[in-house]
Amino acid sequence: DGGSPAYGVDNSGTPIAGGINRIAYYLELQQGAGARQWVWASMDAFTQNLGQIGVPVIGTGAVWQQIVGNMNVESNVGGITTGTGIATGNIEFWHQCYLESNEIGIPGASNSVYDTGDDNNHANSCYGSMQVHNYGLSQTLFAWNGWDTPNHNDLGIGNNPGTHPDWTFENNASTYTLKSLEVWVQAVPEPATLTLFGLGLLGLGAARRHRGLAT
């Protein structure tokens, strides 16, 4: 519910030298003995606060409702459009309850169903949303909702085939035998520096895992 998740790996207290360049999310799901489904979505950093890029429980103070830049998507789930440099990514991260109305005017979002653009204009911590979308295709890449309300826990990759594309009210997380969410960050590349022997490029900044959650 509203408490902090029991992260298997939590490096949020480790500073990133030079700052964060990109943030990425990797979700893997499996039902019974079925095939594992996964999706990876990386984007330009929308914050430099390591404590606010994981699950947006109320204690983090994180509320992110915005378009994100330069998104890269990979997945083995049919229907998800993969690619690099996608300009139509957006995130909906909050702990509040929310409504169907398209509060910030996400292009193509509906005012009558829960999808790529909703309204989190509520003070209470009462439901919760952690969603990444490609609004240009009216596509939910992944969603985890309802973790802040007892007996609700919505989880899915791609668009929900039911009423609400972003999995709101689906209450289906218990159907998965594997649920693994990882949050990664990439450091800002270090600048080229002159050395005694010529021009050298130092430390391009490999991706490093920030948090991992496995249940």
Side-chain angles (χ1 to χ4, degrees):
D1 297 331
S4 179
Y7 291 105
V9 175
D10 186 348
N11 292 322
S12 60
T14 304
I16 304 297
I20 305 171
N21 184 43
R22 290 180 63 77
I23 300 170
Y25 297 90
Y26 176 77
L27 177 65
E28 189 173 19
L29 303 175
Q30 185 178 27
Q31 291 180 313
R36 293 190 180 191
Q37 297 182 324
W38 60 268
V39 63
W40 165 276
S42 67
M43 61 207 69
D44 290 343
F46 52 87
T47 181
Q48 293 294 312
N49 188 333
L50 289 171
Q52 293 191 345
I53 63 176
V55 183
V57 296
I58 188 171
T60 67
V63 176
W64 304 111
Q65 184 180 19
Q66 65 190 73
I67 291 173
V68 293
N70 197 24
M71 188 169 67
N72 298 339
V73 176
E74 297 293 340
S75 181
N76 71 342
V77 176
I80 289 185
T81 299
T82 60
T84 60
I86 297 169
T88 53
N90 71 294
I91 57 175
E92 296 185 303
F93 288 8
W94 56 65
H95 55 85
Q96 296 103 321
C97 287
Y98 50 100
L99 299 173
E100 303 97 315
S101 55
N102 186 8
E103 181 181 13
I104 66 171
I106 295 294
S110 169
N111 285 309
S112 59
V113 298
Y114 294 100
D115 59 359
T116 59
D118 297 321
D119 178 358
N120 77 326
N121 192 20
H122 297 270
N124 293 336
S125 179
C126 56
Y127 200 79
S129 168
M130 187 176 186
Q131 303 175 5
V132 178
H133 307 286
N134 181 347
Y135 71 82
L137 299 175
S138 298
Q139 188 170 91
T140 295
L141 299 177
F142 77 83
W144 182 17
N145 320 311
W147 33 261
D148 201 17
T149 296
N151 304 316
H152 285 82
N153 219 334
D154 322 319
L155 187 62
I157 296 174
N159 280 355
N160 175 25
T163 302
H164 302 294
D166 69 358
W167 300 87
T168 299
F169 301 143
E170 198 65 20
N171 193 22
N172 66 325
S174 63
T175 67
Y176 296 104
T177 50
L178 170 67
K179 303 178 282 285
S180 178
L181 175 65
E182 298 181 359
V183 183
W184 292 72
V185 296
Q186 182 189 62
V188 173
E190 296 181 13
T193 58
L194 288 172
T195 70
L196 181 62
F197 303 103
L199 184 64
L201 182 64
L202 303 178
L204 291 178
R208 54 187 295 188
R209 184 161 69 176
H210 164 57
R211 281 176 160 172
L213 172 63
T215 59

